[in-house]
Amino acid sequence: MGKIVLELQNDTMDDTKKVSYLLTKALVIARKLQLEDFANWCNKELEGYDHKDEKPSYRKINLIYKAWNPYRGFIPVVIQDKKFQETISEQDVDRSIHEIEEYASMSETTLKFSINPELQRIFSEMGNLQFEITAFVGRGQYIRICQQIRKLILDWTIELEKEGILGDDLEFTTTEKEKAKDEIHNYGTMIFGNVTKSDFKSEISHSFNEDSSGASIEEIRSLLDQIVQIKDKSGVDSSELATINSTLEALQLEIEQKVPNPSKVSSLFLSMKSIFENAAGSVIASGIIYEINRLFPV
């Protein structure tokens, strides 16, 4: 009988073996060894990530936006607001590995994707034009994701081999299972702790995430800081700015509570969003609206 861990190790170095196949095989081994961290990661990669999940850093891609001019074809979209540009240019890929492999295997070097209606509206208001906007992604970025996953599986099998955990076919001895729990678990936590930062979230963040749209306390604080810094340049009039200031104060007080009220936080942000919507044509206001919609979709 073959040593299943060594088989998987060899498979990772065979480019003809799909990453989805490697993940399936790794999932079986992880389940047999009761390594739940690694098994959960395999499942996420195979099935895709939920929008509330933090995504591994290797699943980030960069996008370029272009507008379709019927007379000149695709033309570059210039975004003067640097913060807004950074926000929309980097995106987490939550799709399953099967879909990612499809993109990675396409013949085109650059892939085109439609953007959501809300972002299309923001672009239209920013540029005062009605051209359709398209996102462009280099195919190599999807290849890179596949390669990173392949390497993570290879590293994992090497750690198993170092501890003498090889398996006979799909069977592992009691000793191998105990070794896996004692020696390999920390390795798995190290990988996924670094990737998702899940081990570093506070109890407050956990309690908030369970009941909200998925926004973490860290994301909310970051957005509040951004709004405080740029609200005066957003184009809203002085009376509305006073309302925004009082809303920001109420939000700050709420998120400092031991257990923030998700409904109240969401309601305050959406109330503030309606004020910024009155500043039509403002790039800064549009950027704020986009960020609020991203954290609190309605």
Side-chain angles (χ1 to χ4, degrees):
M1 292 188 291
K3 302 297 185 183
I4 188 65
V5 170
L6 295 182
E7 285 181 13
L8 178 56
Q9 193 175 109
N10 287 329
D11 288 341
T12 62
M13 295 180 284
D14 182 352
D15 289 338
T16 65
K17 295 286 196 302
K18 287 190 172 183
V19 175
S20 51
Y21 167 80
L22 302 178
L23 282 164
T24 302
K25 203 166 183 176
L27 175 61
V28 174
I29 295 173
R31 288 289 189 218
K32 292 275 186 176
L33 292 171
Q34 299 176 10
L35 297 175
E36 293 305 313
D37 282 344
F38 207 89
N40 289 338
W41 173 71
C42 291
N43 263 329
K44 293 286 187 185
E45 291 296 335
L46 285 165
E47 297 176 5
Y49 288 78
D50 186 87
H51 73 279
K52 293 182 180 180
D53 295 330
E54 283 194 75
K55 316 303 186 297
S57 58
Y58 59 79
R59 272 180 167 260
K60 289 187 183 298
I61 59 172
N62 293 308
L63 301 91
I64 296 174
Y65 295 90
K66 294 183 181 181
W68 175 254
N69 184 324
Y71 302 102
R72 298 176 55 192
F74 281 109
I75 58 175
V77 172
V78 178
I79 304 171
Q80 295 181 335
D81 188 310
K82 198 168 184 180
K83 190 66 181 177
F84 180 60
Q85 181 182 21
E86 290 174 357
T87 299
I88 66 171
S89 294
E90 188 177 73
Q91 179 177 306
D92 291 317
V93 180
D94 55 11
R95 297 175 182 272
S96 72
I97 191 60
H98 300 282
E99 294 174 276
I100 291 173
E101 284 180 316
E102 274 190 44
Y103 294 143
S105 64
M106 287 181 175
S107 57
E108 299 91 339
T109 56
T110 304
L111 310 180
K112 296 185 293 185
F113 296 93
S114 300
I115 65 173
N116 66 60
E118 177 63 21
L119 185 54
Q120 176 70 52
R121 181 187 68 78
I122 291 173
F123 271 124
S124 298
E125 291 179 356
M126 286 170 56
N128 194 27
L129 48 80
Q130 298 302 314
F131 292 156
E132 182 180 355
I133 307 297
T134 300
F136 289 78
V137 182
R139 178 172 58 89
Q141 297 189 71
Y142 293 108
I143 295 174
R144 174 184 51 77
I145 293 173
C146 293
Q147 290 174 335
Q148 183 63 40
I149 295 171
R150 185 182 292 272
K151 185 178 183 303
L152 283 171
I153 297 172
L154 173 61
D155 291 344
W156 183 64
T157 62
I158 290 172
E159 289 300 312
L160 289 171
E161 183 187 8
K162 282 181 182 177
E163 298 301 326
I165 304 167
L166 302 176
D168 281 317
D169 201 10
L170 282 175
E171 296 299 323
F172 292 90
T173 66
T174 301
T175 301
E176 286 178 315
K177 291 177 181 179
E178 290 301 322
K179 273 189 178 181
K181 286 181 182 178
D182 294 339
E183 306 296 337
I184 306 301
H185 177 73
N186 289 336
Y187 177 74
T189 302
M190 181 184 71
I191 289 179
F192 306 114
N194 287 345
V195 170
T196 66
K197 299 183 177 65
S198 60
D199 293 335
F200 302 99
K201 286 186 177 179
S202 65
E203 290 182 9
I204 294 176
S205 293
H206 279 303
S207 63
F208 191 84
N209 279 335
E210 287 168 3
D211 298 317
S212 73
S213 62
S216 68
I217 289 292
E218 291 80 6
E219 289 176 310
I220 290 170
R221 284 197 178 114
S222 176
L223 179 54
L224 282 178
D225 289 342
Q226 290 177 44
I227 294 174
V228 168
Q229 292 172 21
I230 63 178
K231 60 183 171 59
D232 294 338
K233 302 176 183 178
S234 63
V236 299
D237 62 38
S238 56
S239 61
E240 290 177 324
L241 196 57
T243 303
I244 287 173
N245 287 333
S246 62
T247 305
L248 286 169
E249 289 176 9
L251 277 166
Q252 193 65 48
L253 287 172
E254 185 59 35
I255 66 171
E256 293 304 325
Q257 300 296 314
K258 185 173 182 181
V259 182
N261 184 327
S263 298
K264 184 174 180 180
V265 171
S266 176
S267 176
L268 287 168
F269 265 108
L270 294 177
S271 173
M272 191 161 47
K273 176 184 128 179
S274 65
I275 298 175
F276 284 114
E277 285 175 339
N278 293 330
S282 166
V283 173
I284 291 176
S286 295
I288 293 172
I289 292 167
Y290 173 80
E291 284 297 305
I292 293 175
N293 284 337
R294 184 175 68 84
L295 296 188
F296 300 94
V298 292

